[in-house]
């Protein structure tokens, strides 16, 4: 299959291109407005077809597109390619407002096309392997009692909408497993530094399971901590590579296998493989689509609560 890659900034170069260029049976077409940049990366990855206007990608007979450009451009570009009948991958967030997200999902549904979101944290192999069915939530023999996801940054306060949609959406989506929480059930705690949002904690409970997403952007360091509790069993990770498990009062270490590539530990390998299978089949699981949309809905509700 042939996939157009739009936007070749730092995230695309560091996280996406090293994986995409290693997938078999996939041909890439690079697109970015900077002609020098596209030529440099095309030479590095031996990509023969490039352009500087995303509309030109239609002349390359592509099967799908991946959008890695700035958030403000996501709606326009995604709408264009969905209208042309092509599957679309978008780096989170889909947009910085829920109204745009609804429009794009409705268009994808009308066109019977997958609209795939790049939430790599759903695919972290160490978490999915270690924690018993934590992506499923309560419907297991070993029910999840609580899940807390903290993603902190150093000296990086921001305006509410950018903070929530561009960054906080990561921990929020990571605990939004069942995509069933109602806006009125959110317990929101916030902390401002002047007119800039500095910390945000959101909690809710679904049946017996408690969920907590936390982000502090005046933290002492950049850090991500994940804690999951089951009955008399606890997991905690402060990286995507290693963590600890406690059971019966005994502590043990869990870790990724030696020589696991860094981008694989961060979920990018599994995510891109899943995306390729979605393009090939032309279908996306309805529960995945619902979770994608619901996480953006929660972001919108949080923004509205914070700016009243």
């Amino acid at each position: 299959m042939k996939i157009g890659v739009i936007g070749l900034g730092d995230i695309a170069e560091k996280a996406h291109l090293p994986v995409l260029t290693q997938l078999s049976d996939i041909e890439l077409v690079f697109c970015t407005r900077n002609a020098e940049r596209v030529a440099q990366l095309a030479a590095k990855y031996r990509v023969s077809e490039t352009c500087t206007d995303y509309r030109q990608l239609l002349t390359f007979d592509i099967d799908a597109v991946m959008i890695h450009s700035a958030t403000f451009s996501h709606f326009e570009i995604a709408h264009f390619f969905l209208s042309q009948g092509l599957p679309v991958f978008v780096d989170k967030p889909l947009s910085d407002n829920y109204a745009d997200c609804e429009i794009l999902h409705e268009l994808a549904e009308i066109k019977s096309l997958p609209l795939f979101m790049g939430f790599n944290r759903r695919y972290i192999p160490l978490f999915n392997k270690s924690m018993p069915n934590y992506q499923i939530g309560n419907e297991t023999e070993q029910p999840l009692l609580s899940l807390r996801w903290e993603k902190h940054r150093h000296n990086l306060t921001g305006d509410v909408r950018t903070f929530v949609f561009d960054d906080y959406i990561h921990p929020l989506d990571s605990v939004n497993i069942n995509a069933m929480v109602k806006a009125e059930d959110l317990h929101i705690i916030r902390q401002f530094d002047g007119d800039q949002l500095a910390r945000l904690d959101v909690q809710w409970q679904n049946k017996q399971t408690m969920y907590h997403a936390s982000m502090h952007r005046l933290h002492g360091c950049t850090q991500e901590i994940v804690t999951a509790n089951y009955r008399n069993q606890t997991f905690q990770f402060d990286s995507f590579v290693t963590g600890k498990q406690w059971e019966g009062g005994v502590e043990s270490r869990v870790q990724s296998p030696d020589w696991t590539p860094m981008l694989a530990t961060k979920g990018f390998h599994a995510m891109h493989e899943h995306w390729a299978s979605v393009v090939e089949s032309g279908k996306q699981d309805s529960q995945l689509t619902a979770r994608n949309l619901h996480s953006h809905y929660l972001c919108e509700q949080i923004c509205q609560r914070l700016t009243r």
Side-chain angles (χ1 to χ4, degrees):
M1 67 182 73
K2 183 182 284 189
I3 297 178
V5 182
I6 305 165
L8 301 175
D10 288 343
I11 296 299
E13 183 177 10
K14 292 177 182 178
H16 295 285
L17 298 186
V19 181
L20 287 169
T21 53
Q22 296 300 313
L23 293 178
S24 60
D25 301 322
I26 288 184
E27 184 179 351
L28 301 177
V29 183
F30 283 176
C31 176
T32 191
R33 290 177 298 177
N34 187 321
E36 182 178 349
R37 175 75 169 169
V38 75
Q40 172 197 355
L41 290 175
K44 178 179 179 179
Y45 290 106
R46 296 180 175 85
V47 170
S48 60
E49 295 178 318
T50 66
C51 60
T52 55
D53 185 332
Y54 67 82
R55 299 170 186 84
Q56 295 174 331
L57 285 170
L58 296 178
T59 66
F60 294 94
D61 194 27
I62 56 174
D63 299 296
V65 296
M66 300 182 71
I67 301 171
H68 305 299
S69 56
T71 298
F72 73 86
S73 68
H74 287 181
F75 177 82
E76 175 186 319
I77 300 173
H79 194 282
F80 175 81
F81 285 105
L82 289 171
S83 298
Q84 297 297 321
L86 291 169
V88 173
F89 173 114
V90 186
D91 269 340
K92 62 79 202 164
L94 181 56
S95 176
D96 66 356
N97 68 86
Y98 183 65
D100 283 355
C101 297
E102 278 193 306
I103 291 171
L104 292 175
H105 274 85
E106 288 171 2
L107 178 58
E109 185 175 356
I110 291 170
K111 295 285 188 176
S112 298
L113 291 168
L115 177 55
F116 192 100
M117 290 302 308
F119 286 114
N120 65 291
R121 281 161 177 76
R122 297 177 183 176
Y123 299 89
I124 294 171
L126 181 63
F127 296 176
N128 288 311
K129 180 180 179 181
S130 301
M131 295 186 287
N133 299 315
Y134 91 99
Q135 291 280 17
I136 300 173
N138 288 317
E139 299 174 5
T140 67
E141 293 181 1
Q142 191 174 6
L144 178 66
L145 299 180
S146 67
L147 179 63
R148 177 184 175 93
W149 205 293
E150 305 173 53
K151 185 175 186 291
H152 305 313
R153 294 185 180 273
H154 172 68
N155 195 28
L156 197 64
T157 58
D159 69 271
V160 168
R161 196 158 286 270
T162 301
F163 184 117
V164 173
F165 272 94
D166 273 27
D167 201 5
Y168 184 76
I169 195 172
H170 267 313
L172 181 68
D173 175 77
S174 296
V175 300
N176 187 31
I177 296 170
N178 298 305
M180 294 173 59
V181 61
K182 298 177 182 178
E184 57 266 29
D185 293 333
L186 298 177
H187 178 61
I188 301 174
I189 301 175
R190 83 295 307 271
Q191 192 174 61
F192 281 86
D193 183 41
D195 61 353
Q196 299 285 288
L197 185 58
R199 176 163 183 163
L200 179 60
D201 287 72
V202 176
Q203 295 175 286
W204 68 85
Q205 184 167 342
N206 179 27
K207 298 180 181 177
Q208 291 301 308
T209 310
M210 295 185 292
Y211 301 94
H212 186 171
S214 176
M215 176 170 283
H216 184 204
R217 287 173 54 157
L218 283 177
H219 201 61
C221 63
T222 297
Q223 187 178 44
E224 193 155 355
I225 301 172
V226 178
T227 306
N229 283 290
Y230 301 83
R231 186 176 180 84
N232 298 317
Q233 184 182 40
T234 298
F235 293 87
Q236 187 172 88
F237 303 88
D238 58 6
S239 75
F240 301 144
V241 179
T242 63
K244 296 178 180 178
Q245 175 186 355
W246 292 270
E247 187 171 9
V250 177
E251 178 181 309
S252 58
R253 186 182 182 191
V254 292
Q255 63 183 46
S256 299
D258 289 343
W259 301 99
T260 303
M262 179 188 67
L263 290 175
T265 66
K266 293 186 176 183
F268 286 97
H269 283 211
M271 181 180 70
H272 286 99
E273 289 169 0
H274 184 198
W275 157 241
S277 71
V278 166
V279 175
E280 187 174 9
S281 67
K283 298 178 181 179
Q284 179 171 272
D285 187 280
S286 60
Q287 290 183 323
L288 181 64
T289 301
R291 181 176 175 184
N292 293 342
L293 188 58
H294 192 258
S295 289
H296 287 81
Y297 166 76
L298 294 182
C299 284
E300 181 65 38
Q301 295 300 314
I302 292 167
C303 285
Q304 291 185 19
R305 294 259 292 269
L306 292 180
T307 54
R308 283 176 185 171

